[in-house]
Amino acid sequence: MMYDTDYAIYQYINAQVEQYVEFDDLLKQNHCTMEEAQQEIKAFREKYHSLLAGYAFSDCDLAAACEELMAQMEQHPGSLDLQYLYLCIVTDFGLLWNAGVQERSAEQEVRNYFRQRERMQELTAFLQVQAESMRKYENLLEHLKKPIEGNQAEYAEESDFLYHLTIQHFFLHDGIKNEIYRENMKALLIHVNSDAQVRSLKPYVIFAVLARKTGMMQKRKHFMPNLNAVLQYQDYQILKDNGKNFNRYQSELELYDHLRRAYAEDADMDFCDFCFANLSPLSEWYYLYCEPNEDIPMTIGRKIQTQMPLSFPNLLSDEAYETLDEDEIQACRDAAETLKEKMLSAAAYL
């Protein structure tokens, strides 16, 4: 069954109960007094509205502001000001667009601010890692245009370890007692270890070869994959025949997780995770069909979705619910869902 919003809300409520911190303790954790927190909120709002005004964006209509922002992001990808505005909007709990402001106490206002600030900081750090990983990815593709010079090392112990680790996984069971598979795995390991840049990406490279070239690794003697090709995006229909493919996809995910943990201290895991999340739809399949565990690498769009308030975007006030009929309310909900999807797609310009 596809992971649904109702279950997400249920989990969110439970998580909030478990994470609840007394207000005085919360202020201490954030190293400020109530008055200082309120001053930070004031400065935060002023900076946000100043940037809105600078781009002549709407400051009274959330949908209009989002549309204007997305148009500017497409024209100016990578703009830090536009990135900041985007993160402000998609993490807003009501501080900036005053949703439910009449019902909020001063304490709730501060709590919302701390939550939003933490989410913006987390997303900003994530985006920085993604940008650096993209740079490494482009450099590696250029580097792989030249052949890798093999070395004479056997890596017998590591090769044996990888063989036994991989054959545990459902989609690689045909490799059990398969000498072609064992020898191809040994040759792949020597190839990967022969180049420092490729070696830093070892968990992902081994995963990608085994997931994409399973039959070749098990049946073709002396098979050596083209790593440049393996590092290209592979598209497949994750929503089609899901029941048939579920076990295969789950097994592939488990393999990457095991490789990731095995090489955690030796590989560039941020770079590996970037490739895992962005070079196939497997990560997105996981977040659609399995109970989310944020340790599984994700794309920028999925990461932003995890940090959005579940109510985003709130296009209706409480008063509107009392004046609109059911069809009008549903139309607003549909418009909100469309706007959310467009904003998530706009993450590509960050």
Side-chain angles (χ1 to χ4, degrees):
M1 179 181 293
M2 186 176 292
Y3 188 76
D4 59 46
T5 302
D6 288 341
Y7 185 55
I9 293 172
Y10 168 77
Q11 283 199 314
Y12 173 78
I13 292 172
N14 284 342
Q16 291 304 304
V17 170
E18 293 175 0
Q19 296 171 8
Y20 182 80
V21 178
E22 293 293 337
F23 188 60
D24 286 344
D25 293 334
L26 186 65
L27 290 173
K28 289 178 182 177
Q29 288 177 9
N30 286 274
H31 310 291
C32 65
T33 64
M34 178 66 162
E35 293 74 18
E36 289 169 339
Q38 289 175 324
Q39 285 299 313
E40 286 187 32
I41 293 171
K42 180 182 177 183
F44 175 54
R45 282 183 171 133
E46 288 175 350
K47 178 179 179 180
Y48 172 73
H49 287 291
S50 175
L51 281 173
L52 281 183
Y55 284 92
F57 293 163
S58 172
D59 64 355
C60 58
D61 185 321
L62 175 57
C66 288
E67 294 289 351
E68 293 159 357
L69 173 62
M70 288 186 286
Q72 286 293 318
M73 289 172 65
E74 185 174 2
Q75 293 179 35
H76 307 286
S79 164
L80 294 181
D81 281 349
L82 295 175
Q83 179 188 109
Y84 181 83
L85 284 171
Y86 178 91
L87 296 183
C88 283
I89 289 174
V90 298
T91 60
D92 182 36
F93 287 93
L95 281 177
L96 302 175
W97 290 93
N98 298 320
V101 67
Q102 297 85 356
E103 296 82 23
R104 282 203 307 267
S105 66
E107 176 183 322
Q108 289 171 326
E109 188 98 333
V110 171
R111 285 184 180 275
N112 282 351
Y113 168 67
F114 286 151
R115 282 198 295 172
Q116 181 166 11
R117 184 179 67 178
E118 181 180 358
R119 293 185 183 209
M120 289 182 67
Q121 289 171 344
E122 183 172 341
L123 285 173
T124 299
F126 184 82
L127 289 172
Q128 290 170 346
V129 170
Q130 297 299 289
E132 178 63 14
S133 294
M134 176 57 79
R135 184 190 64 78
K136 292 176 181 178
Y137 174 68
E138 292 170 347
N139 287 345
L140 181 58
L141 291 183
E142 188 65 28
H143 175 72
L144 287 174
K145 290 179 180 179
K146 300 177 182 178
I148 294 174
E149 294 184 9
N151 59 41
Q152 301 304 312
E154 285 293 321
Y155 303 105
E157 184 177 345
E158 186 180 3
S159 176
D160 189 58
F161 163 76
L162 279 175
Y163 169 76
H164 286 96
L165 182 152
T166 58
I167 60 174
Q168 299 174 41
H169 298 277
F170 159 74
F171 77 103
L172 292 170
H173 281 179
D174 286 348
I176 298 173
K177 296 182 180 180
N178 180 331
E179 287 305 312
I180 293 176
Y181 177 71
R182 184 188 283 271
E183 289 303 313
N184 282 339
M185 175 63 73
K186 182 186 295 184
L188 175 64
L189 179 63
I190 292 171
H191 190 58
V192 169
N193 281 342
S194 296
D195 185 277
Q197 284 186 248
V198 179
R199 189 166 62 247
S200 71
L201 198 60
K202 188 191 300 186
Y204 176 75
V205 170
I206 292 173
F207 158 78
V209 169
L210 295 181
R212 298 184 184 201
K213 305 295 181 182
T214 312
M216 295 288 195
M217 288 291 287
Q218 293 173 341
K219 298 174 182 178
R220 180 179 291 183
K221 289 184 178 181
H222 312 299
F223 172 69
M224 180 57 63
N226 180 335
L227 296 188
N228 206 316
V230 168
L231 289 169
Q232 301 299 320
Y233 181 78
Q234 182 186 41
D235 194 14
Y236 45 89
Q237 295 297 318
I238 58 173
L239 302 181
K240 185 178 181 181
D241 297 327
N242 186 61
K244 177 182 177 182
N245 295 324
F246 187 94
N247 289 341
R248 166 82 185 207
Y249 295 161
Q250 189 174 54
S251 185
E252 290 179 5
L253 279 163
E254 290 170 352
L255 172 63
Y256 179 68
D257 181 61
H258 286 175
L259 289 168
R260 189 179 189 276
R261 287 188 278 121
Y263 289 100
E265 296 181 2
D266 303 317
D268 184 342
M269 291 314 308
D270 284 339
F271 188 21
C272 289
D273 288 349
F274 169 86
C275 291
F276 178 85
N278 289 281
L279 295 183
S280 86
L282 186 58
S283 169
E284 189 59 19
W285 174 86
Y286 171 81
Y287 284 99
L288 286 172
Y289 287 101
C290 304
E291 182 173 334
N293 169 358
E294 293 184 22
D295 288 338
I296 300 298
M298 60 184 75
T299 62
I300 290 175
R302 177 57 62 175
K303 180 66 175 180
I304 289 169
Q305 194 167 347
T306 68
Q307 300 303 307
M308 279 180 169
L310 293 175
S311 60
F312 178 86
N314 189 351
L315 301 181
L316 286 176
S317 65
D318 292 339
E319 294 79 8
Y321 279 102
E322 298 175 2
T323 60
L324 300 178
D325 62 32
E326 290 186 8
D327 289 342
E328 290 171 323
I329 290 174
Q330 186 58 50
C332 286
R333 288 173 176 164
D334 292 343
E337 187 62 28
T338 299
L339 180 60
K340 176 181 177 179
E341 292 303 318
K342 289 169 70 175
M343 284 289 280
L344 289 172
S345 296
Y349 301 115
L350 292 173

